[in-house]
């Protein structure tokens, strides 16, 4: 399968805006991808946003992001205090929050939830991501859950076996509040990575996947 490489000027850093509705969403959806990108020579400037992070969940979010992004050139962690499960009912305030983010970050790539995600908080985060960054590259990550709403992603990031293992270990170490949930298990994270790895013929058999609805192709061959 042919690889496509993002085009950046010279040694310019890659500016990432990572948006998650809840404390562990980003790590579940794109933790392995971020670990892989952070191992490259390209400097990364990361704005890390969690919309609903209070109390124990805020401490988990901050601790996890601090460790995960320790190799980034710069990190800006933004934690919101919106009520978990009720983002749509706080629409005006959440929209205002996104407008403040627009003034704070000018990203090359936005990593956010999938538009068709059946969790109401995830779905609103995705809608406002597209509403706020209308001419940017947006990649929508996937979250496994009881609703069984996984779709057919079309962008894949192969992971090495060690990166996939580090991702699972990171999740289990930093999010103690979720360990009692049956879906929050190493076997499930690895199972999804194996499925996506198969679909993109990853050399290791492991990958994370995204929905990329709009990409600009500029082939330089001939």
């Amino acid at each position: 399968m042919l690889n496509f490489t993002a085009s950046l000027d010279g040694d310019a850093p890659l500016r990432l805006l990572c948006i998650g509705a809840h404390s562990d969403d980003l790590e579940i959806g794109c933790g392995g991808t971020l670990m892989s990108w952070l191992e490259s020579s390209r400097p990364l400037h990361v704005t890390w946003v969690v919309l609903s992070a209070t109390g124990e969940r805020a401490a988990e979010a901050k601790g996890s992001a601090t460790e995960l992004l320790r190799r980034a050139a710069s990190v800006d962690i933004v934690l919101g205090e919106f009520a978990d499960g009720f983002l749509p009912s706080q629409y005006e305030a959440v929209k205002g929050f996104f407008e403040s983010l627009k003034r704070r970050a000018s990203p090359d790539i936005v990593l956010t939830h999938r538009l068709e995600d059946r969790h109401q908080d995830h779905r609103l985060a995705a809608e406002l991501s597209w509403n706020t960054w209308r001419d940017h590259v947006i990649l929508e990550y996937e979250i496994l859950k009881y609703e069984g709403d996984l779709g057919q992603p079309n962008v894949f990031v192969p992971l090495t076996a060690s990166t996939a293992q580090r991702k699972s270990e990171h999740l289990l170490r930093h999010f103690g509040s979720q360990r009692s949930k049956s879906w929050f298990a190493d076997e499930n994270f690895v199972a999804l990575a194996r499925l996506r790895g198969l679909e993109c013929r990853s050399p290791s058999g492991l990958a994370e996947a995204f929905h990329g609805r709009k990409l600009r192709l500029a082939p330089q061959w001939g």
Side-chain angles (χ1 to χ4, degrees), residues 21 23 38 61 73 77 111-112 116 140 148 152 164 182 196 207-208:
S23 297
L38 285 163
I77 300 175
L111 298 171
T112 190
E116 293 84 5
E140 302 169 9
Q152 293 182 303
S182 60
R196 298 318 187 196
E208 284 181 339

Side-chain angles (χ1 to χ4, degrees), residues 35-113:
M35 287 176 176
S36 298
W37 290 355
L38 285 163
E39 290 174 352
S40 75
S41 58
R42 177 76 60 178
L44 263 61
H45 292 289
V46 183
T47 302
W48 186 269
V49 179
V50 179
L51 298 175
S52 177
T54 59
E56 179 184 16
R57 297 288 276 155
E60 289 179 340
K62 188 171 183 178
S64 169
T66 300
E67 180 180 319
L68 178 65
L69 304 173
R70 65 186 184 282
R71 298 183 65 172
S74 71
V75 180
D76 182 17
I77 300 175
V78 184
L79 302 181
E81 296 183 343
F82 299 103
D84 186 346
F86 293 87
L87 285 190
S89 67
Q90 306 165 84
Y91 184 89
E92 185 173 350
V94 179
K95 170 65 175 170
F97 185 82
F98 271 76
E99 288 299 313
S100 70
L101 290 175
K102 184 164 65 175
R103 295 188 291 272
R104 190 167 182 153
S106 179
D108 298 304
I109 299 176
V110 179
L111 298 171
T112 190
H113 290 278

Side-chain angles (χ1 to χ4, degrees), residues 132-208:
T132 307
W133 291 277
R134 300 168 61 195
D135 59 349
H136 291 67
V137 174
I138 296 181
L139 296 177
E140 302 169 9
Y141 56 81
E142 54 185 356
I143 301 280
L144 71 176
K145 62 176 75 66
Y146 298 131
E147 289 87 339
D149 61 356
L150 296 177
Q152 293 182 303
N154 54 9
V155 178
F156 297 85
V157 178
L159 304 179
T160 64
S162 64
T163 299
Q165 181 179 356
R166 282 199 294 127
K167 171 185 171 177
S168 290
E169 291 173 351
H170 182 93
L171 279 161
L172 297 172
R173 181 167 62 253
H174 283 280
F175 296 101
S177 65
Q178 305 301 296
R179 291 192 200 114
S180 62
K181 298 179 178 177
S182 60
W183 63 268
F184 197 87
D186 171 72
E187 294 83 355
N188 295 331
F189 301 137
V190 173
L192 183 57
R194 288 204 175 282
L195 174 63
R196 298 318 187 196
L198 181 155
E199 292 173 336
C200 73
R201 299 197 67 184
S202 165
S204 68
L206 298 158
E208 284 181 339

